[in-house]
Amino acid sequence: MVQWIPQTAIPPLLNMSLNNTTALPNLVVLISGSGSNLQALIKAIHTGRLAARITAVISNRADAYGLQRAAEADIPTAVLSHQDFASREAFDQALQQRIDTYQPDLVVLAGFMRILTPDFVRHYEGRMLNIHPSLLPLYKGIHTHRRVLEDGGHEHGVSVHFVTPELDGGPVIMQAKVPVLPSDTETSLAQRIQTQEHVIYPQVVKWFVEGRLKLANNQATLDGNALTRPIQHLSV
């Protein structure tokens, strides 16, 4: 099993000018809620740990707090409500058109609570990532923390994966695990999972924008090596 330990001793790339955005990869981030993973990406960019720029944050909900996070970081925002469209396909077509105006190198799903149509997913094949609060392939779908507790599980976690037409079924790149404590509630478990999310998602995005992470033949590769198992994050 491949393991990864964050290189906390390595100083950020402070010599990189954050105003020189012409050569930076473009990210479009899709959200539906608070945008805490969006904030983790913003922080990684501002500290020089992630050499990219977020060209737009798009939400399907006008009340998503993540839109305020984006505005405070001077990132353009857009709201495209799925309720304004007669079908899932029509919404995804409009969303795709909006995303493509920003010419993204990578589409980042950060708590975007929509099941995407196969045509939409294929359009961004190999350049769309998602983060899911479980140790995939366990607990696909929603209410993962509740389901782990109901099952009496002893371990839980989070996975970052490439998006494919299968719901939460794309190749998993990286995971972080946490123990399930006897005193845990959905809230406490979610909080510990979220802490890990904010570490591993910027790292995976960093690998992608550096050209190290790719999707080939429905398999994730890092530095040209196929990931037969997800990389495991070890906290230090």
Side-chain angles (χ1 to χ4, degrees), residues 44-64:
I45 290 171
H46 284 181
T47 58
R49 292 185 292 114
L50 176 59
R53 62 173 177 171
I54 302 173
T55 52
V57 172
I58 303 175
S59 176
N60 65 314
R61 295 177 56 94
D63 61 350

Side-chain angles (χ1 to χ4, degrees), residues 109 114-116 121 128-141 159-173 175 215 217-220 227 230:
L109 306 184
R114 295 286 299 169
I115 297 176
L116 299 168
V121 172
M128 183 158 58
L129 297 173
N130 184 46
I131 190 161
H132 181 75
S134 81
L135 297 172
L136 292 172
L138 301 176
Y139 300 107
K140 297 180 180 181
S159 305
V160 179
H161 65 96
F162 278 109
V163 179
T164 64
E166 179 186 354
L167 177 65
D168 298 328
V172 179
I173 302 153
Q175 292 179 327
L215 180 67
N217 299 318
N218 203 40
Q219 188 166 43
L227 297 179

